[in-house]
Amino acid sequence: MSIGVTFDARDPQKQAEFWAMALGYVLDPPPPGFTSWSEFATARGIPRDQWRAAVIDPEGRGPRLFFQPVPTSPTPC
């Protein structure tokens, strides 16, 4: 059984890069036939503000961390 943890993030890619470095994880590789997730998302017509990111434990022991975008909240008055 594998475990995944999902986080809301204003900038999923930056969060993924930070946690990959902090935990010794790597960015989740793109699907076969694509050189990057941005290439995959563009080919599928996914709007940039809906792009997600994930990191995985290269040794396969830790959970996959998934970062999904959330809208920017308004500035409080």
Side-chain angles (χ1 to χ4, degrees):
M1 173 171 89
S2 67
I3 295 175
V5 180
T6 301
F7 297 92
D8 290 345
R10 286 195 181 153
D11 188 332
Q13 187 63 39
K14 284 185 181 179
Q15 288 291 311
E17 291 169 2
F18 172 82
W19 286 108
M21 184 176 60
L23 298 173
Y25 275 36
V26 296
L27 295 174
D28 196 13
F34 295 93
T35 58
S36 68
W37 280 103
S38 59
E39 181 186 350
F40 171 82
T42 301
R44 297 290 189 260
I46 301 169
R48 186 168 178 76
D49 66 342
Q50 295 178 16
W51 290 7
R52 291 142 168 74
V55 295
I56 57 172
D57 179 353
E59 296 178 11
R61 289 186 266 163
R64 178 178 186 259
L65 305 181
F66 180 77
F67 301 89
Q68 63 184 10
V70 293
T72 304
S73 61
T75 305
C77 296

